[in-house]
Amino acid sequence: MRSGQHNYNIALFASMIAHLGEEKAEEWMKGLKANLARKPSGNDRAQAQAIYAGECDLGIGNTYYVGLMINNEKEPEQKDWAASMKVLFPNSEDRGTHVNISGMAMAKHAPNRDNALELMRFLGSAEAQSIYAETNYEYPVLPGATVSETVQSFGKIKPDSLPLAEIAKNRKAASEMVDRVGLDDGPAS
Ligand SMILES: [Fe+2]
């Protein structure tokens, strides 16, 4: 996995705290550390590369990178990384899989409010949602917007419906837990 302090993992760990409570989540994180094949490092794609290289059996990452690797004409070796693995959706039978979001917000004193609002409305439209879904292999937030064929090939996702505010609320506790557990120190040997 990449660093436990990266935003992606902090959000994931915050969701674990929200669902399990701090004590159980910490127990889980200790288990995660014990199962590490190596010290957390690299980005999401580096985890797929590690599976390709036989360094580990499982990695943690966002699915959109799998789409970006599968269709990477510029660096075709990434296609091999993607081909060596398959996407699994944790907790599918239970509360659903943790989902990270791409979001937007307008600053209170934005100087070009009307144009900004127009852009935000466009980005939420069926047209822009489909373009974004096809270009970056993310799940469109707009119901009914087209999901890319690559993403469909991963199978069905059941997203965790935990409110984002719960994740935001638990971010600090998650970050402190990563340090307390020593997750980024890697597996104990
Ligand atoms: Fe990313």
Side-chain angles (χ1 to χ4, degrees), residues 2 5 66 100 104 115:
R2 72 192 293 170
Q5 290 294 2
V66 182
N100 283 324
M104 54 186 162
N115 278 341

Short mmCIF file of all heavy atoms in Angstrom, two decimals, residues 2 5 66 100 104 115:
data_model
loop_
_atom_site.label_atom_id
_atom_site.label_comp_id
_atom_site.label_asym_id
_atom_site.label_seq_id
_atom_site.Cartn_x
_atom_site.Cartn_y
_atom_site.Cartn_z
N ARG A 2 0.24 2.38 -0.41
CA ARG A 2 0.99 3.62 -0.31
C ARG A 2 0.95 4.12 1.12
O ARG A 2 0.34 3.47 1.98
CB ARG A 2 0.47 4.65 -1.33
CG ARG A 2 -0.87 5.26 -1.04
CD ARG A 2 -1.42 6.03 -2.24
NE ARG A 2 -0.64 7.22 -2.55
CZ ARG A 2 -0.79 7.95 -3.66
NH1 ARG A 2 -1.69 7.61 -4.57
NH2 ARG A 2 -0.07 9.00 -3.89
N GLN A 5 -0.49 7.78 5.58
CA GLN A 5 -0.82 9.20 5.81
C GLN A 5 -1.33 9.88 4.53
O GLN A 5 -1.69 11.05 4.56
CB GLN A 5 0.40 9.98 6.33
CG GLN A 5 0.81 9.61 7.75
CD GLN A 5 -0.23 10.00 8.81
OE1 GLN A 5 -1.29 10.51 8.51
NE2 GLN A 5 0.08 9.72 10.06
N VAL A 66 -6.72 1.78 -12.19
CA VAL A 66 -6.73 0.52 -12.97
C VAL A 66 -7.17 0.84 -14.39
O VAL A 66 -6.57 0.37 -15.36
CB VAL A 66 -7.65 -0.53 -12.32
CG1 VAL A 66 -7.60 -1.84 -13.11
CG2 VAL A 66 -7.25 -0.78 -10.87
N ASN A 100 -13.73 7.01 -2.50
CA ASN A 100 -13.18 8.37 -2.44
C ASN A 100 -13.87 9.21 -3.50
O ASN A 100 -14.34 8.69 -4.50
CB ASN A 100 -11.67 8.35 -2.68
CG ASN A 100 -10.90 7.89 -1.46
OD1 ASN A 100 -11.27 8.20 -0.34
ND2 ASN A 100 -9.83 7.13 -1.68
N MET A 104 -16.05 19.43 -5.79
CA MET A 104 -15.73 20.83 -6.09
C MET A 104 -16.47 21.71 -5.08
O MET A 104 -17.52 21.35 -4.57
CB MET A 104 -16.15 21.20 -7.52
CG MET A 104 -17.59 20.91 -7.83
SD MET A 104 -17.96 21.21 -9.57
CE MET A 104 -19.49 20.29 -9.75
N ASN A 115 -19.59 32.80 -13.37
CA ASN A 115 -18.90 31.86 -14.26
C ASN A 115 -18.56 30.57 -13.54
O ASN A 115 -18.66 29.48 -14.11
CB ASN A 115 -17.61 32.49 -14.81
CG ASN A 115 -17.89 33.40 -16.00
OD1 ASN A 115 -18.96 33.30 -16.61
ND2 ASN A 115 -16.96 34.26 -16.30
#
